[in-house]
Amino acid sequence: MGQMPASAGPSAYAPDRTLAQALSESGDNRSQLKQALKALPESQVPALEFLIRYMPKTDLTTLSSEFLVEDITLAYQARADHPWAKAVPNEIFYNDVVPYASLDVRRDRWRADFYQRFSTMVKDSKTLREAVLVINGSIRDEVKVDYSTKRKKADQSPYESMETGLASCTGLSVLLCDALRSVGIPARIAGIPMWTTKRGNHNWVEFYDPQSSSWHFTEYYLDSKGIDHGWLLADAARANPDSFYHAVYATSWKPTGKNFPMVWNMDSNSVPGVNVTRFYQELAKSQGISTDGQFELRIEFLDANGDRKPVEVALYQLDHLIGKGQTPSPRNDTNQFLSFKVDPKQNYQLRWTDTEGKPVSRAITPEKERSESNHRKVQLK
């Protein structure tokens, strides 16, 4: 993915660290780390050394030998299971498959469970991309977690989300990232701390495909058009690569000189980040998505309780159909809308059928809808 220097954030990520330095910082837990290094086959030791060198200090001082050995052993088992996983370069395998956690979430012992859940799903997959599609299309039914603003917190670990069945976009992304890693697929969290087009932030998932030697994006809820498509692309393409708060980032285990902004803890420098804004700009351009400032009308329907309601609607200009689709449901991210590109100075009609089967039409002049979020809320009576 394309990279461009970003403005320094609230804190800069700590400099590189040698293995000896990391062990010296581990305190009383040093014996556990050395025990883990001795327990692994020689061929797997470099992966654990990589993890230890770049661990947050809280992990250095707390993680057990058993936890780390299991993580490395199963990562290599997944790599051995599938030809497409064996094709992943070592540096990416270490950085984006082996890590036992994403972001600053609670350190759950998920790998054995997820390996058992997802490895059988992809045993017949011919390519890594095919395996991604299998897991992406199955994960919701497997872990039984849905998007909800009623989740306990943004940065939930896999089991914190699975215990309640509710998660933010971040929690959902952590689940998908770990599921992919469990079968040997390099995966990382991507996101933007603040949209330039509306309020809010968002996180999603990227995976590396050795066949194309490139990164691609997807979400917990797979877009109907597949990989590298989604409602977020147009907004991500409008990000500012020179702004710390308005750029798109991807996570890294190895230090990069930057930190990944976590909106629930913006002062943290515990997770390295890579500025990938240019990739989304180039991808949007390749798909013919315009970022020229044309007005985007965003539609959502709310019921009497203020909850989102999926409604099939159509936008017309007199007798000309501009577009149609379904408005977001409570399961959709709060930053996701049914969107139409329109001329802000012209008049349109939004049409739908009410709960009694009667046609309804509402006049909309986009220029008058120029609110801070540029979207239209329709209250259902």
Side-chain angles (χ1 to χ4, degrees):
M1 282 187 174
Q3 300 176 28
M4 183 174 181
S7 303
S11 54
Y13 192 76
D16 201 354
R17 180 205 276 147
T18 66
L19 179 63
Q21 288 172 329
L23 290 172
S24 70
E25 292 178 24
S26 62
D28 293 340
N29 200 48
R30 179 173 181 147
S31 61
Q32 286 292 308
L33 302 182
K34 296 188 77 172
Q35 183 179 331
L37 288 166
K38 290 180 180 179
L40 290 169
E42 185 177 351
S43 62
Q44 298 180 12
V45 169
L48 181 54
E49 289 180 341
F50 179 88
L51 283 188
I52 293 173
R53 284 182 65 188
Y54 307 125
M55 274 184 194
K57 191 168 182 178
T58 52
D59 292 348
L60 279 174
T61 58
T62 57
L63 295 183
S64 69
S65 171
E66 184 181 12
F67 179 97
L68 294 170
V69 169
E70 179 180 80
D71 179 80
I72 298 293
T73 300
L74 288 173
Y76 273 92
Q77 181 62 54
R79 194 183 201 189
D81 286 343
H82 314 289
W84 36 262
K86 295 175 187 175
V88 173
N90 273 343
E91 62 271 20
I92 293 177
F93 176 72
Y94 294 163
N95 198 62
D96 302 293
V97 175
V98 171
Y100 46 78
S102 298
L103 305 171
D104 60 352
V105 304
R106 189 183 75 185
R107 282 18 186 170
D108 288 353
R109 197 168 171 175
W110 53 266
R111 198 177 290 266
D113 176 28
F114 277 29
Y115 175 80
Q116 185 174 22
R117 288 172 183 266
F118 297 106
S119 60
T120 55
M121 291 184 186
V122 299
K123 63 183 177 62
D124 296 324
S125 297
K126 304 301 182 186
T127 65
L128 184 144
R129 190 184 184 95
E130 184 180 328
V132 170
L133 289 170
V134 170
I135 291 177
N136 211 164
S138 306
I139 187 168
R140 189 262 172 190
D141 290 338
E142 178 63 34
V143 300
K144 296 177 174 55
V145 179
D146 276 314
Y147 176 84
S148 175
T149 57
K150 297 178 181 179
R151 78 291 184 274
K152 291 184 177 179
K153 59 180 182 177
D155 55 329
Q156 290 177 174
S157 68
Y159 292 132
E160 285 177 319
S161 295
M162 291 167 70
E163 284 165 7
T164 62
L166 307 175
S168 67
C169 60
T170 304
L172 296 180
S173 298
V174 168
L175 282 166
L176 179 57
C177 184
D178 289 347
L180 296 177
R181 287 179 176 179
S182 75
V183 299
I185 297 171
R188 62 191 187 184
I189 306 296
I192 186 169
M194 293 177 67
W195 294 114
T196 60
T197 53
K198 54 194 172 188
R199 284 191 173 190
N201 69 294
H202 191 52
N203 287 314
W204 57 93
V205 173
E206 293 180 350
F207 70 91
Y208 181 83
D209 186 354
Q211 197 167 34
S212 62
S213 299
S214 60
W215 288 89
H216 302 270
F217 88 88
T218 186
E219 291 198 275
Y220 180 86
Y221 298 114
L222 179 64
D223 189 83
S224 60
K225 293 182 180 179
I227 300 302
D228 286 336
H229 291 276
W231 64 270
L232 66 90
L233 183 55
D235 290 316
R238 292 180 173 89
N240 183 348
D242 297 315
S243 167
F244 176 75
Y245 297 98
H246 293 300
V248 181
Y249 300 88
T251 57
S252 173
W253 190 260
K254 184 176 180 178
T256 62
K258 308 176 184 69
N259 59 288
F260 183 92
M262 298 179 289
V263 297
W264 53 90
N265 189 8
M266 285 295 281
D267 291 331
S268 174
N269 66 355
S270 64
V271 179
V274 181
N275 188 326
V276 295
T277 308
R278 295 296 188 196
F279 167 78
Y280 289 92
Q281 293 175 337
E282 294 165 5
L283 182 61
K285 184 177 179 180
S286 72
Q287 295 183 14
I289 296 174
S290 172
T291 57
D292 60 6
Q294 187 180 21
F295 189 87
E296 182 177 58
L297 182 66
R298 303 186 182 112
I299 308 293
E300 65 175 338
F301 275 62
L302 306 177
D303 64 19
N305 296 319
D307 296 321
R308 283 178 151 191
K309 183 176 180 65
V311 177
E312 293 290 338
V313 301
L315 187 69
Y316 280 81
Q317 191 170 44
L318 295 179
D319 60 345
H320 176 63
L321 176 65
I322 302 298
K324 59 184 178 180
Q326 186 180 79
T327 61
S329 73
R331 280 177 51 185
N332 295 122
D333 190 276
T334 52
N335 285 304
Q336 183 175 354
F337 302 92
L338 176 63
S339 301
F340 301 100
K341 298 289 186 180
V342 294
D343 184 332
K345 296 184 180 296
Q346 297 191 34
N347 299 323
Y348 300 86
Q349 298 83 42
L350 187 67
R351 302 176 186 176
W352 69 95
T353 301
D354 67 15
T355 54
E356 297 177 359
K358 298 177 181 178
V360 182
S361 179
R362 182 167 299 181
I364 291 180
T365 304
E367 190 173 53
K368 297 178 182 179
E369 305 298 328
R370 285 185 178 275
S371 65
E372 61 184 354
S373 58
N374 283 0
H375 79 267
R376 176 83 173 186
K377 294 183 178 181
V378 180
Q379 186 79 38
L380 294 178
K381 301 298 183 181

